[in-house]
Structure formats: C-alpha cells, structure tokens
Amino acid sequence: MKLKTGIYWGAACGGCDVAVLDTHEKLLDIADHMEFFLWPCAMDFKYEDVKALDDDFLDIVLYNGAIRNSENEEIARLLRRKGKVMVAVGACAHIGGIPGLANFYTRDDILKRVYIDSPSTTNDEGTLPVEHWANGDEKLELPRFYNTVKTLDQVVDVDYYLPGCPPVPQQIVNALTAVWEGALPPKGSIIGAGTKTLCDECPRVKEEKMIPAIKRTHMMIPDPERCLLEQGLVCLGPVTREGCGARCIKSGVPCRGCYGPLDEVPDMGMKMLSALASVLEPKELKEIDEIVDMMVDPLRTFHRFSMAASILRRKNT
Ligand code: SF4
Ligand code: SF4
Ligand code: SF4
C-alpha cells in the first residue's frame, strides 16, 4: 500500500521541492511508494480539502520552509494533526535557514525597508500591508507577518529532520526509502545525514596548522588540496553535520553550515566561534583584535543558517 503523503512549504524558496524532483529516475520509485494528497509546488489543492481529512490520515508530512507568518503556523498545526509522521525538510524547517537571518531585524524594520525605503519602491504615502481590510461588505484578511522567524519544531512536534539547503537528492531518496521500508530511527533523529562532522567527509588535506589571518574568498585563490580553514577562510565544516558530500568545499567554497549542528551541539554558531578561537595563531590581545576585525559580519557568518535555532535567538513573536 502506498504511503499517503503531504508535502508543504512554509517560508521557503522552493529549492527543497526542486530537490525532490532532482531525484530524477528515483522519482519513479517515490511514485511507486507514495501517493500525494497535497503538494502546492506540483499540484492544486484547497485547504478546505485538507481540513476535511481525518486526523492521522496522512502517513507522512514533509514540511519545508521556516515559520514566518500566521499562515505557515496554521498549516503546520493542521498538517501535524492530519499526519502520523512530521518531517522537517531542509535547513529552513530544521534550523530556520536563510529566512532566520531576518531575526536580526524587527517586523517593523523589514516592512519599512521592503515597502518604503527600498530603492526600487515608490510609496510616497508610506502604505504598509494590513492584516484586515474592509470596504463595505468586502473583507480581506492577510496572514500576520511575525516579528520572529521560527523553526518548525518551535511550533509543532517534529518526528524527524532531513537537513540541508536543500537536502542532497540522494539523501532524500535514502530517507524516503527508510520511511517506506519501515526502517526509521528513533523519533527526533536526523535522517538523510551522518553523525560526524563535515570535516570527516571533506577530501581536503588537514595539517592542523594554526591560522595567522582571516581572509575572504575574493582575496585569494585557495590551494585546491588543502583545508580552507587552515588557509584562513572561515569554513563551518568543524561544526556542521556530514551528509552533503562536501559539495561547496569541492567547488572551492567554504561551508556555511546548512546541514546544521551535530546532536550534542546546542548552538553551532557559538561552537564555531570557540573552534575558530582555538586555531588562531595570534595570542596577544592586540593581534587578536586585528584578526577579529578581518572577519566581516561574524554573527551572520557563524549563524548563516541557524539563527532561528540559536540559543541567542529572541523569543517574542
Ligand atoms: S532549505 Fe534552502 S532550498 Fe530549502 S526552502 Fe530553505 S532556502 Fe530553499
Ligand atoms: S574546515 Fe572545511 S575545508 Fe577544512 S577540512 Fe573541514 S570542511 Fe574541509
Ligand atoms: S558544504 Fe556546508 S553549506 Fe555546503 S552543502 Fe554542505 S553543509 Fe551545506
């Protein structure tokens, strides 16, 4: 019997849905084992139809995207009721992802920037979106834009996490195969990724060298064989979960941490700060200050994908 499946996107870019399609001929296996009842990216459906389903009707819900507004949260709660198993797919659902970077600003900052201050906008009257609008009998309601981006498990109970921005297609196949073969690990586990750090699967040579200076990618042509971090590029490999096949590193680009932290790491950004501090060559305060000044925007570098899940996050909505 096919698994009754729902795929949904909250605050997402669509890349996680495309990653499912990127499984190419394995899509035929997926179609053999899964029957789709909703998938906004690929088929039409109505919320009313989903609401009419019995609770626990869906065998599995794959939710990608963060929780940015009240609609994202409402549908997450609805699908949690309708699905037996809820999987947070992709970095946005797992740890907030790129949308989580908006948590460095308030809701009002963002609306002002987008609707009033952005160079391509003409809005002399300073009109901003409103949640409720009425003109006589005509009424419109928009989802509430939250002050704070949240991860999926900050609003509903999540059974499994399939990390990555987006998850590697083969990892999606591996994870879905485990679902239909009934070979899932204990609730709360990461699926479709390993248990070690990205450095463990990275092919670059590590020489345990101390770093004399921090550099940015445009400032150098890195040695293609050696560890990028040891060449001064901030690479989050030491604090990121393996599973992507080191796809950025193989293209000469440092890891930004989209596969998220290992199980025992409560805050990957802070862990990276600590890891980096331990390999910096300068020991004098003045030299340390200089090297810190070489780092552009360290908070967003260390928390590129994980700000919404960070212990530093704000908790108001
Ligand atoms: S995890 Fe990446 S690919 Fe997936 S929705 Fe978020 S930004 Fe897009
Ligand atoms: S720090 Fe980056 S480049 Fe160096 S071994 Fe780890 S993943 Fe590879
Ligand atoms: S190298 Fe890092 S940022 Fe790139 S895909 Fe892998 S985990 Fe994500």
Side-chain angles (χ1 to χ4, degrees), residues 54-240:
D54 290 339
D55 286 359
D56 284 345
F57 174 84
L58 296 169
D59 293 306
I60 183 161
V61 173
L62 305 171
Y63 191 109
N64 70 72
I67 305 296
R68 167 81 273 184
N69 63 33
S70 56
E71 181 190 33
N72 302 152
E73 179 165 353
E74 182 186 336
I75 302 304
R77 291 184 185 281
L78 175 67
L79 292 175
R80 176 66 278 189
R81 278 208 317 280
K82 303 300 173 185
K84 293 188 191 112
V85 172
M86 174 70 102
V87 184
V89 176
C92 296
H94 175 209
I95 49 179
I98 297 300
L101 288 173
N103 287 356
F104 287 100
Y105 305 93
T106 65
R107 173 187 188 278
D108 292 345
D109 291 339
I110 294 168
L111 292 181
K112 186 165 173 294
R113 172 69 188 165
V114 171
Y115 291 100
I116 297 175
D117 294 339
S118 76
S120 58
T121 300
T122 305
N123 181 2
D124 294 337
E125 293 176 3
T127 307
L128 294 174
V130 290
E131 266 174 71
H132 302 282
W133 178 88
N135 183 12
D137 288 343
E138 281 184 279
K139 289 190 178 142
L140 282 177
E141 194 177 338
L142 282 177
R144 180 154 47 92
F145 185 79
Y146 288 162
N147 194 44
T148 302
V149 172
K150 294 183 239 181
T151 62
L152 184 61
D153 65 5
Q154 286 167 10
V155 300
V156 294
D157 188 35
V158 169
D159 297 297
Y160 297 101
Y161 302 85
L162 178 56
C165 179
V168 174
Q170 185 55 47
Q171 295 283 25
I172 295 177
V173 173
N174 295 347
L176 294 182
T177 305
V179 173
W180 65 64
E181 287 182 350
L184 280 167
K187 178 180 159 81
S189 298
I190 300 278
I191 53 176
T195 55
K196 297 182 185 162
T197 69
L198 182 68
C199 290
D200 286 292
E201 69 172 346
C202 175
R204 288 180 177 258
V205 176
K206 295 161 273 278
E207 297 167 332
E208 299 189 5
K209 283 196 171 163
M210 301 298 276
I211 304 170
I214 297 289
K215 296 180 187 140
R216 300 184 73 195
T217 45
H218 68 276
M219 296 165 70
M220 62 184 289
I221 297 176
D223 182 322
E225 308 294 331
R226 287 181 51 222
C227 168
L228 295 171
L229 187 58
E230 290 182 355
Q231 295 181 66
L233 294 168
V234 177
C235 177
L236 267 66
V239 299
T240 301

Side-chain angles (χ1 to χ4, degrees), residues 164-166 168 198 201 235-237 240-250 253-260 268 304-305:
C165 179
V168 174
L198 182 68
E201 69 172 346
C235 177
L236 267 66
T240 301
R241 184 180 293 271
E242 66 175 342
C244 72
R247 57 185 166 180
C248 299
I249 316 285
K250 286 175 182 167
V253 177
C255 173
R256 287 293 180 247
C258 80
Y259 261 64
M268 68 187 300
R304 179 69 58 88
F305 288 93

